[in-house]
Amino acid sequence: MSAPFTDLTGTDSFTETLRQENIDTWLSATNHRFVTELFDGSIAPQVMAGYLVQDYRFLDTFLALIGGAIANADTLSGRLRLAQFAGEIAGDENTYFLRSFEALGVTEQQCDSVPDTQATTGFKRLFLDAASSGSYAGILSVLVVCEGLYLDWASKAPAKRPESFVHHEWISLHDYPEFHELVDFLRRELDRVGPADAQTAREFFSRTVALEQLFFDESYRHPLI
């Protein structure tokens, strides 16, 4: 298997510089109570259901973000890999959400009617802001955090996974060889183009890390009743 995120980013890389600038928030997210309880399967069903409903809410804008990355990529190879990524999100991950909603007893009416949390609203705005920015580096910064931060915590999961597929597949979706390779690709792209647009990359990176921590926090404040 490829190296985990923290091993992919060399100590002098642009991506690692951004991570170190946000290290306290990054570590707070990757070591969050949500992650610990996900690993041992003790997370309350209402918390997991609320988390997944909110996460599913910004699937549409996340795909728009990847579309922005495809439009602004400066190489054919980059566009092709990003297009493949969009297909993966629209395929296996979307199917996981639908299966999990059924297992957790989440109704279509609940999926549609539960209000967006502050973090969900923030992510939707972030994805659209980045997609429309015209900055490949800015878009990559958001993607590197969204995917790399999840790889970081998921790659630390114990070998013994929780029994429920809702729990263990969410871990596995963020810790398998092709996902490691995706994060490696995103990191290398950001390392390549980021320094020329450093301020934009820095602002989007910091904004995304803060929202990742808030999203975990709010999963406990807004469980699905």
Side-chain angles (χ1 to χ4, degrees), residues 134-213:
S135 169
Y136 187 39
I139 296 169
L140 285 168
S141 291
V142 177
L143 290 173
V144 164
V145 175
C146 287
E147 305 308 310
L149 187 145
Y150 269 58
L151 169 61
D152 199 357
W153 66 253
S155 63
K156 298 170 186 172
K160 187 179 186 325
R161 300 290 169 88
E163 291 184 7
S164 170
F165 84 85
V166 175
H167 302 149
H168 72 71
E169 285 191 22
W170 191 240
I171 298 169
S172 299
L173 278 168
H174 301 98
D175 182 27
Y176 64 98
E178 290 78 12
F179 188 72
H180 285 246
E181 291 164 8
L182 167 68
V183 174
D184 189 21
F185 159 75
L186 294 171
R187 188 271 304 168
R188 284 185 281 105
E189 287 288 274
L190 182 56
D191 285 344
R192 180 175 64 83
V193 304
D197 195 6
Q199 188 56 37
T200 301
R202 182 167 281 109
E203 290 171 359
F204 275 115
F205 195 100
S206 178
R207 190 173 160 189
T208 311
V209 175
L211 282 169
E212 290 289 3
Q213 180 186 8

Side-chain angles (χ1 to χ4, degrees), residues 90-101:
D92 290 346
E93 189 158 325
N94 183 62
T95 300
Y96 162 82
F97 278 105
L98 300 180
R99 290 168 54 233
S100 295
F101 291 153

Side-chain angles (χ1 to χ4, degrees), residues 84-129:
Q84 180 185 347
F85 178 33
E88 292 162 358
I89 295 294
D92 290 346
E93 189 158 325
N94 183 62
T95 300
Y96 162 82
F97 278 105
L98 300 180
R99 290 168 54 233
S100 295
F101 291 153
E102 182 177 2
L104 292 166
V106 178
T107 67
E108 185 176 348
Q109 191 272 337
Q110 285 175 306
C111 283
D112 293 339
S113 64
V114 174
D116 287 350
T117 64
Q118 179 184 345
T120 297
T121 300
F123 268 123
K124 287 180 174 180
R125 174 48 51 198
L126 169 71
F127 295 157
L128 293 177
D129 286 350

Side-chain angles (χ1 to χ4, degrees), residues 10-110:
T11 56
D12 59 346
S13 72
F14 182 71
T15 304
E16 182 60 16
T17 296
L18 296 183
R19 194 179 76 92
Q20 288 299 323
E21 290 174 356
N22 297 273
I23 194 61
D24 289 343
T25 311
W26 182 285
L27 292 177
S28 180
T30 56
N31 295 291
H32 199 277
R33 171 188 175 189
F34 182 93
V35 174
T36 302
E37 293 183 354
L38 180 67
F39 285 171
D40 63 21
S42 66
I43 192 166
Q46 299 91 335
V47 171
M48 192 69 193
Y51 167 90
L52 290 176
V53 166
Q54 294 297 325
D55 198 293
Y56 196 63
R57 283 283 175 81
F58 47 75
L59 177 62
D60 179 53
T61 50
F62 190 66
L63 286 169
L65 175 69
I66 302 173
I70 295 169
N72 288 280
D74 56 351
T75 66
L76 175 59
S77 61
R79 290 187 204 276
L80 290 172
R81 184 61 188 91
L82 290 161
Q84 180 185 347
F85 178 33
E88 292 162 358
I89 295 294
D92 290 346
E93 189 158 325
N94 183 62
T95 300
Y96 162 82
F97 278 105
L98 300 180
R99 290 168 54 233
S100 295
F101 291 153
E102 182 177 2
L104 292 166
V106 178
T107 67
E108 185 176 348
Q109 191 272 337
Q110 285 175 306

